[in-house]
């Protein structure tokens, strides 16, 4: 590779033996961004998905609020819980 050539692709560094699914997700996210979707748009979609997981109705005021800076902020979950929204159980019965 030429010293003058910029490398704009940085593959995810995965050092866990069980990280196969994470590498697959990273590949899919890279493909989505390569197709033109911005990181901000992805963050907005993830926020809406978080609201879906907490069973927030489509017409609730939270859906129209701006996306928080940090989706991993514990106060966000506390706010959802205070409003009576809890994450739906994802346990699968066999």
């Amino acid at each position: 590779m030429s010293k003058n050539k910029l490398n704009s692709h940085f593959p995810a560094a995965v050092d866990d033996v069980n990280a196969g699914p994470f590498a697959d997700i990273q590949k899919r996210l890279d493909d989505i961004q390569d197709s033109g979707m911005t990181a901000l748009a992805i963050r907005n979609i993830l926020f809406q998905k978080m609201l879906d997981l907490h069973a927030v109705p489509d017409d609730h005021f939270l859906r129209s609020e701006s996306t928080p800076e940090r989706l991993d902020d514990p106060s966000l979950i506390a706010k959802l819980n205070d409003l009576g929204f809890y994450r739906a159980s994802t346990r699968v019965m066999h």
Side-chain angles (χ1 to χ4, degrees):
M1 182 183 278
S2 171
K3 288 183 180 180
N4 296 331
K5 187 175 180 182
L6 293 174
N7 185 1
S8 62
H9 176 71
F10 297 99
V14 180
D15 58 1
D16 186 352
V17 175
N18 299 320
F22 295 113
D24 181 51
I25 290 171
Q26 182 64 49
K27 170 78 171 93
R28 289 181 189 196
L29 287 172
D30 289 342
D31 291 343
I32 289 169
Q33 282 189 297
D34 290 345
S35 71
M37 185 173 277
T38 66
L40 182 59
I42 293 171
R43 186 168 60 95
N44 293 338
I45 291 169
L46 290 173
F47 176 62
Q48 293 298 317
K49 187 62 180 173
M50 175 187 280
L51 297 179
D52 289 345
L53 290 172
H54 284 81
V56 176
D58 290 340
D59 60 349
H60 197 274
F61 76 90
L62 286 175
R63 298 274 183 183
S64 59
E65 283 190 353
S66 62
T67 302
E69 281 293 314
R70 291 189 50 206
L71 297 179
D72 63 340
D73 186 352
S75 69
L76 182 57
I77 301 300
K79 179 178 180 179
L80 287 166
N81 292 343
D82 288 345
L83 292 170
F85 299 112
Y86 297 90
R87 186 169 176 165
S89 176
T90 58
R91 295 181 184 166
V92 176
M93 300 296 286
H94 293 280

